[in-house]
Amino acid sequence: MAKPKVAFYWCSSCGGCEEAVVDLAEGLLDVAAAVDIVLWPVAIDAKYEDIEKMEDGEITVSFINGAIRLDEQQEIAQLLRRKSQVVIAFGSCAQLGGIPGLANFKDKESILSRAFFEVATTVNPDKVLPQAHCVDEGHELTLPNLWNTVRRLDEVVDVDYFLPGCPPMPDTISQALDALLSGNLPEKGAILSPTKNLCSECSRRDSKPETIAVEKFQRIIDVDIPEEDCFLAHGVLCMGPATRSGCGERCISANMPCRGCYGPCDGVTDQGLAMLSALAGSVNLKKPEEFDRIFKTLDDAAGTLYRFSLPASIAHNGGLLQREGGDEQ
């Protein structure tokens, strides 16, 4: 009997999701024995043309990590969608847009200008920018086209399941693989992680006061917090109230507040707004004018509340962050 075929692909992300697969350790050997990995650019020598020659639906499951920022990424995602029975958005960037999605606060021109003209370590006196197409001495060179807008995977292809995390935990990956191989799959569109928020399972929840009255927000590097204390009780922003559990409390265990990488719980449309709502009930508002003063102490509020989820926000989906000229220009 032929083994199920599995593909892994890396779009716009840091590579941490690739490391998460490797972090299966000896469990990776079990996976390799149970499936036929037909595409994994970071680890095996397989070509896109090999995938193109396959029958539609021949691949059992494709794990695609990273947001969509280049036309090449869209093309490969669409190719894998055609060839796969199941497509899983693997990690925060594929599911929500992730940290690359913060680029949606800017347009393509300002990003390129910053990277190639303004960074102190860049030497570019001729102000040369990369071009998607050029011809030099008769030789043609093409590069993937950079989009104006970072998109989630499910904005360019149909996604069957979502595996959250930056990166997903090895246990979460193993459980997803077991479910796929056994055929014991949840309803299409499910997020393969618990639905409760992180606070409900946090090891520090017993230290959280019944009423939190934040006078000002502080950075974790500016305050000494006992390892058993709730971060919010000390005015340190922790995304736990607006973030689903399942991460194994990796950050909390290292005495760092939750960053929100596992995304919102089921039924929440906008993670940033959910967290803002939680914070509104946690500040000490003796007078209405105190609201502005307290929230001005929150450094980079937009970048913090939407660190992983800007392309999944109401602002993005409502068109407030779309760029003129179309996303592909």
Side-chain angles (χ1 to χ4, degrees), residues 2 17 24 29 32 34 51 64 90-91 101 109 121 142 144 168 199 247 265 268 278 284:
C17 289
L24 291 172
L29 299 177
I51 305 301
I64 302 177
F90 185 56
E109 287 72 24
T121 54
T142 60
C199 283
C247 63
C265 298
V268 176
N284 189 6

Side-chain angles (χ1 to χ4, degrees), residues 10-327:
W10 177 357
C11 294
S12 181
S13 64
C14 69
C17 289
E18 307 289 338
E19 293 288 345
V21 177
V22 176
D23 283 346
L24 291 172
E26 58 269 17
L28 185 57
L29 299 177
D30 297 331
V31 172
V35 303
D36 180 13
I37 300 177
V38 296
L39 180 69
W40 193 9
V42 77
I44 65 174
D45 184 20
K47 310 300 183 185
Y48 297 151
E49 61 184 28
D50 299 330
I51 305 301
E52 291 169 348
K53 293 175 182 176
M54 290 182 173
E55 298 291 332
D56 288 356
E58 187 174 340
I59 299 174
T60 304
V61 57
S62 285
F63 293 85
I64 302 177
N65 79 79
I68 307 298
R69 189 68 203 260
L70 305 174
D71 51 10
E72 179 188 50
Q73 293 165 351
Q74 181 185 41
E75 291 167 8
I76 301 303
Q78 291 173 339
L79 171 64
L80 289 173
R81 176 67 275 182
R82 291 197 307 273
K83 304 299 180 180
S84 305
Q85 299 170 29
V86 174
V87 168
I88 293 182
F90 185 56
S92 302
C93 295
Q95 179 196 359
L96 303 168
I99 288 178
L102 290 172
N104 284 356
F105 281 126
K106 303 291 184 178
D107 57 22
K108 178 173 67 174
E109 287 72 24
S110 61
I111 291 170
L112 290 174
S113 177
R114 174 66 178 166
F116 289 93
F117 304 153
E118 301 168 20
V119 174
T121 54
T122 298
V123 179
N124 186 7
D126 295 329
K127 302 292 184 181
V128 176
L129 286 175
Q131 303 296 315
H133 177 267
C134 73
V135 178
D136 185 31
E137 297 183 356
H139 299 285
E140 184 177 10
L141 175 67
T142 60
L143 292 173
N145 191 36
L146 180 69
W147 288 3
N148 278 317
T149 302
V150 177
R151 289 188 173 276
R152 310 181 311 274
L153 181 62
D154 67 351
E155 290 185 274
V156 300
V157 297
D158 183 37
V159 172
D160 297 288
Y161 300 104
F162 300 86
L163 202 60
C166 182
M169 289 288 289
D171 287 348
T172 307
I173 300 170
S174 296
Q175 291 166 8
L177 284 168
D178 289 343
L180 287 162
L181 295 176
S182 67
N184 185 24
L185 291 167
E187 183 180 352
K188 179 176 177 178
I191 298 173
L192 305 179
S193 184
T195 59
K196 294 181 179 179
N197 73 2
L198 184 60
C199 283
S200 66
E201 299 185 1
C202 180
S203 57
R204 303 178 180 223
R205 64 182 181 275
D206 292 340
S207 69
K208 183 177 180 179
E210 189 170 326
T211 300
I212 295 178
V214 175
E215 294 284 351
K216 71 173 183 176
F217 290 103
Q218 304 184 85
R219 298 185 302 169
I220 185 65
I221 62 173
D222 294 329
V223 59
D224 185 18
I225 299 179
E227 293 189 1
E228 67 277 3
D229 280 13
C230 171
F231 291 102
L232 282 172
H234 290 266
V236 173
L237 179 64
C238 178
M239 291 288 291
T243 302
R244 69 172 56 240
S245 59
C247 63
E249 298 183 39
R250 291 173 293 184
C251 297
I252 304 295
S253 299
N255 204 27
M256 292 293 290
C258 169
R259 302 173 301 152
C261 76
Y262 260 58
C265 298
D266 291 347
V268 176
T269 302
D270 190 304
Q271 186 181 14
L273 289 180
M275 189 65 214
L276 188 61
S277 177
L279 292 178
S282 301
V283 296
N284 189 6
L285 295 181
K286 298 176 181 178
K287 299 178 181 179
E289 57 268 25
E290 287 287 280
F291 186 90
D292 285 343
R293 180 192 65 78
I294 294 173
F295 272 90
K296 283 180 180 178
T297 66
L298 179 59
D299 290 335
D300 188 20
T304 301
L305 299 177
Y306 291 100
R307 187 191 305 253
F308 295 96
S309 63
L310 185 62
S313 68
I314 291 174
H316 173 87
N317 294 321
L320 297 179
L321 295 174
Q322 300 298 320
R323 305 301 175 194
E324 294 181 2
D327 292 324

